[in-house]
Amino acid sequence: RIRIGSSAVFSSESVSAAGCSIVASATARSTDSESPSRGVSTAVSAIRYSVSPMSVFNGDILLAAKRPLGGMNVFLGDFTGHGLSASIGALPVSDIFFGMTSKGFELYEIVKELNNRLKAVLPVGFFCCAIAAEIDFEDNNIKVWNGGLPDAYLINQYTAEVEEIKSNHLPLGIIGAEKFQAKMDVRP
């Protein structure tokens, strides 16, 4: 499970963040069933979630996609602002995330591309606080990038041991490619 702040994000508990109530849980198995909506997998069977926005348009985004060689990528983002103006980055983020994941790119490459695109398309003063995780069920490890969200916590389901994953990066879309850091925090 991954916890952000005092609220669970990738667990069976409920969270309320930035005007969005999220319930998510992850299991250690994935299957081949995917949602055929618009030819893109919008849900991965290893993650069950429900998102109930406080408004129709907002800047909260939760994405999950299976990696071609196993495992999955998960992205949780919160854009600055409220309403429609906060949602302008959701489409480019979704396109990049699903497209690059399906082609087998590493998560750090996806995060770099997300930053580059958002830096180019978002108005000045807009950015995306995000956490991205690459979950490897075979090797039982996780790679995490946290930019601007509260500290995350990795909780061992067997021992209840808690590991803190600090936000060591700026949010997406603030700085250019030359200064952007996409170093992943790898945890067993």
Side-chain angles (χ1 to χ4, degrees), residues 41-58:
S41 171
T42 57
V44 175
S45 60
I47 293 183
R48 292 180 306 276
Y49 58 89
S50 169
V51 180
S52 302
M54 291 177 74
S55 64
V56 176
F57 298 107
N58 64 51

Side-chain angles (χ1 to χ4, degrees), residues 25-31 46-48 72 135-138 140 157-158:
S25 65
T27 60
R29 287 192 136 131
S30 66
T31 65
I47 293 183
R48 292 180 306 276
M72 73 170 55
I135 304 167
D136 186 334
F137 298 117
E138 191 72 27
N140 201 27
Q157 70 181 27
Y158 302 110

Side-chain angles (χ1 to χ4, degrees), residues 122-155:
L122 291 179
V124 173
F126 281 75
F127 53 85
C128 180
C129 296
I131 188 164
E134 179 182 310
I135 304 167
D136 186 334
F137 298 117
E138 191 72 27
D139 292 337
N140 201 27
N141 69 27
I142 185 170
K143 296 177 186 173
V144 181
W145 181 91
N146 188 352
L149 283 179
D151 294 346
Y153 301 95
L154 188 60
I155 303 169

